[in-house]
Amino acid sequence: MRILVMNPNTTVSMTASIRATATAAAAPGTEILATEPLWGPESIEGHFEGYLSAAAVLDRLATLGTPFDALVMAGFGEPGREGAQELLDVPVLDITESAAQMAMMLGHAYGVVTTLDRAVPQIQDRLLTAGLLQRCAAVRGTGLGVLELEEDPARTVDVIIETAREVVRAGAEVICLGCGGMAGLDAEVASALGVPVVDGVAAAVKFAEAVVGLGLTTSTARSFAPPRPKAIGAWPLSRHLSSVRAAGPLRAAEFSAQTSDI
């Protein structure tokens, strides 16, 4: 079984940490591939960057050319998952719904610890759309930007723990780490809090293994039927970007994102 894990931003170091967490969670015999878009924002901290990322991720998926059995989308509360479900004929899991679903199996109410406060409404909207908000006690931001998570790992863990304590006081019995950039921090946070902590990347990998193992995939009966054939001007972009990258360094006015090998 091969699971592709897609980092929605273009920060290669974050892809590496997401890959490591996914690999650690995977069962023997499961191969983890990980990559990011060829273009787009280096981090996602709002709707504008989220929609740019969704287009870039779909563009990357449309031109990847590497076979896989399931896709895990590693953005918490970001758009684009439904588009991938229409585009692909394999199961598509995202870390937001996977983390919340697993948390609800472990306690009556769960809570989410994320990055900036501005991400809170976006996550709440995603959980509401998925029918998962009713059992969410609270969503709290740490005040750390996505890229700040990697700057001082010890401080990052301390701030997450402090914020998670507020979420527990609000009634959460399980904590979800609300950013792909927090991948791999669940054990430290759980040890300090004394409650289960769900890493969305790990949860999505395990759900993907289960769905593939059962021989199931996304229903195409209605909502996620394949896109209807039609002309889409100047898309996909990644073929052009790949040829530009092969020709040498990009000019400052061009996209400068780098992509990791899968």
Side-chain angles (χ1 to χ4, degrees), residues 235-255:
W235 187 84
L237 298 174
S238 292
R239 294 192 183 104
H240 168 68
L241 291 175
S242 296
S243 64
V244 171
R245 284 161 54 81
L250 299 178
R251 298 190 301 272
E254 296 173 325
F255 295 111

Side-chain angles (χ1 to χ4, degrees), residues 32-213:
I32 298 294
L33 311 175
T35 192
E36 66 283 319
L38 291 179
W39 57 275
E42 61 181 350
S43 65
I44 303 165
E45 294 168 331
H47 294 287
F48 173 72
E49 293 162 350
Y51 284 109
L52 283 179
S53 167
V57 165
L58 294 175
D59 182 51
R60 182 75 167 121
L61 292 171
T63 58
L64 194 59
T66 301
F68 51 91
D69 300 299
L71 171 68
V72 167
M73 300 183 73
F76 208 96
E78 308 304 337
R81 202 260 340 260
E82 295 87 351
Q85 286 179 290
E86 293 183 7
L87 182 68
L88 303 175
D89 61 358
V90 300
V92 178
L93 290 297
D94 80 306
I95 66 173
T96 314
E97 293 187 24
S98 295
Q101 293 279 12
M102 186 164 286
M104 291 193 300
M105 299 176 191
L106 304 175
H108 176 71
Y110 70 95
V112 179
V113 175
T114 189
T115 51
L116 300 178
D117 181 66
R118 66 175 294 168
V120 171
Q122 198 167 349
I123 291 172
Q124 290 172 326
D125 286 350
R126 185 74 195 181
L127 293 172
L128 178 63
T129 300
L132 301 170
L133 188 60
Q134 184 175 356
R135 287 174 59 186
C136 181
V139 182
R140 295 282 190 275
T142 59
L144 296 174
V146 173
L147 299 181
E148 289 181 86
L149 297 174
E150 296 183 333
E151 292 178 358
D152 186 341
R155 175 174 177 264
T156 294
V157 171
D158 288 344
V159 174
I160 291 173
I161 291 170
E162 180 183 350
T163 307
R165 287 199 174 105
E166 297 176 10
V167 176
V168 171
R169 286 194 291 269
E173 299 169 6
V174 184
I175 295 295
C176 296
L177 298 180
C179 178
M182 296 178 180
L185 303 181
D186 51 312
E188 287 183 85
V189 178
S191 177
L193 293 178
V195 301
V197 175
V198 179
D199 183 312
V201 173
V205 166
K206 301 313 288 185
F207 278 131
E209 289 179 330
V211 173
V212 173

